Amino acid sequence: MKFERSHHGILPPFMLLELDRRYGATTEFIDTLATTKRLFADSPRRGNHHYHFLPTASGSSNGERETYDCQGKTTRPGKKYRFESDKPGSDTEGNNAHDFTAMVREFYLKIHGRNSIDAHGMPMVSCFNFDRDYNNAFWDGAMMTYGRPQNNIFKSFVLLDVCGHEISHGVTEFVANIEYYGQPGALNEHLSDVFGELIEQYANGITVDKADWVIGNGIFQPGIKGTGIRNMLNPGTAYNDPSLGKDPQPGHMRDYVKMSGDNGGVHYNSGIPNRAFALFAQGVGGNAWEKAGKIWYAARTTCGARPSFGRFAYETVEACKQLGMTNLVSTLDKAWKDVGITPSKTAVDTDTPAPGGADEHGHINLLDAVA
Ligand SMILES: [Zn+2]
């Protein structure tokens, strides 16, 4: 099926298309989409378990890091920059990519007992400075790739929550291989936002009352009116700038975006479960990764490959009980109800149109090619 994607980018295609529309004289944003399309056109099933992993340089299997410099070219992984215990080099983004990957690895190991992305210590490969003015960061089933923006909108894609979001797509692939269309796809996006944000909170020791729930803090150049690309607690409020338009995410089922583009609105409707998670974590208090994060991690393992929102919500309630947190069930139920979702074992996605129709922007072909 055409929505079996092999690539995840932190910037949704609609954002790049919006930028292209507003900056018709420049080409970097549409070039980013075109480069991505070329990159994945010849390997439609490259993601998930079909990819042949790079041989690990160290030969061991505890998620050893291998960080490469693409030097502005599109050949990956590029030139060796820094391997596991090598000293830092002179490139800030290269050092950050290496360090952030270690934090993601630590989070999964210490909090969830998971050895790297596949739970069997697969090497954690990153490459940075990919292409020229490539405006995205992505996980492709085998490695992280970061572009280096050279424009007035984006500052950097090498950010801790971006790294956590993208690598978590890898974890989701190995745990549940959740379909990337409609509500399952929006939950796939949601899970990456949850764990990307939790990794940032964990790394900085941020309790829920201090958390900003923003994905992509620091992604924009100064002067752009936005805190990041998504806001989990208040979807639709992350940015509003003449350069970018307004954050289009809904935070309640009444505003569910019915479209077949963006793989059935995966980057739009993820705002709804995102808000439920943030509300629940706030209701619980303390460190979000200790209780809410554990529940979501467990629900991901039991939700199957095609969960609807209602089904996933049901799995969180079940996980809550299984983990001995029965006292939190009413808080959890309330969080889901506050975004218009009723936990139900039998709920199916009847809100998303079938793939193939034109979306509200008329960009179906390009979006499908990229997603
Ligand atoms: Zn994503």
Side-chain angles (χ1 to χ4, degrees), residues 91-309:
D91 191 296
T92 304
E93 284 198 329
N95 295 333
N96 284 343
H98 199 68
D99 295 344
F100 294 162
T101 300
M103 186 51 74
V104 175
R105 181 179 60 189
E106 179 187 313
F107 173 84
Y108 274 108
L109 184 63
K110 285 200 177 161
I111 304 302
H112 299 291
R114 187 179 186 84
N115 182 8
S116 187
I117 298 161
D118 64 347
H120 294 96
M122 77 181 263
M124 298 181 81
V125 182
S126 308
C127 46
F128 63 94
N129 198 9
F130 171 75
D131 202 1
R132 290 185 60 79
D133 204 3
Y134 182 84
N135 287 276
N136 223 338
F138 62 86
W139 163 259
D140 67 358
M143 67 177 101
M144 284 294 305
T145 300
Y146 301 92
R148 178 168 288 176
Q150 291 158 41
N151 54 67
N152 296 328
I153 311 288
F154 297 107
K155 194 166 146 198
S156 180
F157 299 106
V158 187
L159 303 166
L160 179 56
D161 56 357
V162 170
C163 178
H165 175 107
E166 297 301 336
I167 290 177
S168 293
H169 275 309
V171 176
T172 296
E173 282 174 7
F174 280 100
V175 171
N177 206 8
I178 297 176
E179 185 175 286
Y180 203 63
Y181 188 86
Q183 288 183 9
L187 287 164
N188 196 322
E189 273 306 311
H190 160 64
L191 285 161
S192 272
D193 278 353
V194 163
F195 291 104
E197 175 65 18
L198 288 181
I199 287 161
E200 188 181 277
Q201 291 180 16
Y202 166 79
N204 297 303
I206 298 170
T207 49
V208 286
D209 52 318
K210 303 263 177 16
D212 64 4
W213 299 104
V214 170
I215 303 295
N217 322 55
I219 207 167
F220 294 130
Q221 292 281 10
I224 297 291
K225 291 188 181 66
T227 50
I229 57 170
R230 287 186 286 280
N231 185 311
M232 295 181 68
L233 182 61
N234 294 301
T237 66
Y239 60 87
N240 188 359
D241 188 281
S243 308
L244 289 158
K246 186 182 174 300
D247 175 2
Q249 279 212 309
H252 192 282
M253 284 305 284
R254 74 171 82 89
D255 301 315
Y256 191 90
V257 181
K258 295 186 178 184
M259 66 192 302
S260 54
D262 186 35
N263 287 70
V266 295
H267 291 97
Y268 290 78
N269 295 315
S270 58
I272 300 169
N274 274 359
R275 178 163 165 77
F277 179 83
L279 288 173
F280 174 59
Q282 279 194 335
V284 174
N287 295 324
W289 62 88
E290 289 178 357
K291 290 176 180 169
K294 290 251 170 76
I295 291 167
W296 256 246
Y297 188 88
R300 175 167 56 181
T301 65
T302 56
C303 70
R306 299 187 70 185
S308 64
F309 283 179

